[in-house]
Amino acid sequence: SKLLVRWREIVNRKVQSYCEEHSLRKPNRYTTIQPSGTKSLLTGASPGWHPPKAQQYIRRITFSKGHPVALACLDYGYSIVPGQSDTDDSGDLLTNPFDEKCTEWLVEIPVEVSWAKLAGVEKINIEEFSALAQLDFYMKVQNMYTTHNTSATIELMQSEIECVADRIYRAIQSDEGYISVAMLPRHNVPFPRLPFEKIDRQTFLSLSDSVRQRQKEPDFHQSYARHRSEIFTPELAPVECGTSGCVL
């Protein structure tokens, strides 16, 4: 709690200093947590507060089909699969991202967190943090750090739905500052192409090696700039949370 308050005070001072330096009006909402953002995901940053998913996982980011950032990811070696809303005539998910029926792309990025190799970390089952514990930390960030709604995703089991619903209801009734959070099922449910999919370290190393073998262009920015100049239109803007994540 003390760290969150300290960070909020630092953000407040820096925002005020910047606005005074550039003769700007200070906003009434400020934070260093970005409400959303595809670019932040590509750098490994978080677009909000999210509980740890796993030490290694596949991160799937949704783009419009043919988006220049996605094409740069493809050149870099990352795999692309059709989005979760793209199905064939039988209702089965498409497997070919270049199928004419495909409208969205999921870029699959193998990720290992920076602290995965710390001594003793393997003894902590981070993916087993209860939904109530995750919600409690969201409320702390919401009340002590951000000055608008904190982007957050709570992962829960079916058995936790009732207690989480009760906690949210009480937070709203007592005006504790709750606004909204996204909800996702835990890793061990049979949903295909989740935004986060837990994997073990051997799988992570294998996927990372495959990325290097497929790589056609090691300079991501150069590849992106080329694709953007060739095909970018307003219709190819990044797909917002209103699709894959919220559908789940």
Side-chain angles (χ1 to χ4, degrees):
S1 297
K2 291 181 179 179
L3 280 175
L4 292 171
V5 171
R6 180 188 175 195
W7 293 339
R8 183 177 65 187
E9 291 172 349
I10 292 172
V11 172
N12 185 19
R13 290 200 306 269
K14 292 300 182 180
V15 168
Q16 182 162 346
S17 174
Y18 180 87
C19 290
E20 289 175 353
E21 180 181 349
H22 297 277
S23 301
L24 299 172
R25 180 180 177 183
K26 181 183 176 184
N28 60 1
R29 295 288 185 269
Y30 49 85
T31 177
T32 57
I33 289 185
Q34 191 175 336
S36 64
T38 299
K39 291 184 292 297
S40 66
L41 297 179
L42 291 173
T43 65
S46 170
W49 178 82
H50 300 274
K53 306 299 178 182
Q55 293 172 36
Q56 296 87 17
Y57 56 87
I58 298 173
R59 180 64 169 104
R60 295 187 177 93
I61 305 174
T62 306
F63 292 88
S64 299
K65 181 180 180 180
H67 191 281
V69 173
L71 290 170
C73 288
L74 188 64
D75 288 346
Y76 196 76
Y78 293 126
S79 62
I80 291 180
V81 296
Q84 291 160 338
S85 60
D86 293 325
T87 58
D88 59 21
D89 296 335
S90 301
D92 297 322
L93 286 172
L94 297 176
T95 56
N96 179 10
F98 297 98
D99 190 301
E100 61 180 12
K101 295 186 179 67
C102 180
T103 60
E104 292 179 355
W105 279 357
L106 296 178
V107 175
E108 298 185 318
I109 303 177
V111 177
E112 181 175 65
V113 297
S114 58
W115 41 267
K117 298 176 184 177
L118 294 178
V121 73
E122 69 281 354
K123 299 177 182 179
I124 303 174
N125 295 321
I126 56 175
E127 65 272 18
E128 293 182 6
F129 290 162
S130 72
L132 284 177
Q134 298 170 48
L135 186 60
D136 178 64
F137 195 80
Y138 156 80
M139 292 302 300
K140 281 186 171 61
V141 175
Q142 178 72 7
N143 287 308
M144 300 179 185
Y145 183 50
T146 60
T147 54
H148 55 64
N149 187 42
T150 302
S151 176
T153 302
I154 306 300
E155 294 190 345
L156 74 167
M157 303 288 289
Q158 185 171 354
S159 59
E160 296 178 299
I161 293 176
E162 189 170 334
C163 63
V164 169
D166 178 69
R167 178 68 186 92
I168 292 175
Y169 175 80
R170 287 188 285 110
I172 295 173
Q173 290 299 107
S174 57
D175 196 23
E176 295 179 34
Y178 174 84
I179 298 179
S180 69
V181 297
M183 300 283 182
L184 278 178
R186 292 251 186 210
H187 291 295
N188 58 346
V189 293
F191 282 103
R193 301 174 188 174
L194 283 168
F196 296 90
E197 180 182 333
K198 179 184 176 182
I199 55 177
D200 58 30
R201 190 160 198 278
Q202 191 58 44
T203 302
F204 165 77
L205 293 174
S206 176
L207 292 175
S208 299
D209 185 59
S210 296
V211 169
R212 288 188 288 270
Q213 291 180 22
R214 288 192 300 264
Q215 191 173 91
K216 300 177 182 177
E217 172 56 75
D219 189 325
F220 186 89
H221 180 266
Q222 182 174 315
S223 176
Y224 165 71
R226 183 178 71 256
H227 288 300
R228 179 181 173 84
S229 65
E230 291 173 353
I231 65 170
F232 186 75
T233 64
E235 291 77 20
L236 291 175
V239 178
E240 300 296 339
C241 175
T243 56
S244 302
C246 299
V247 166
L248 287 173

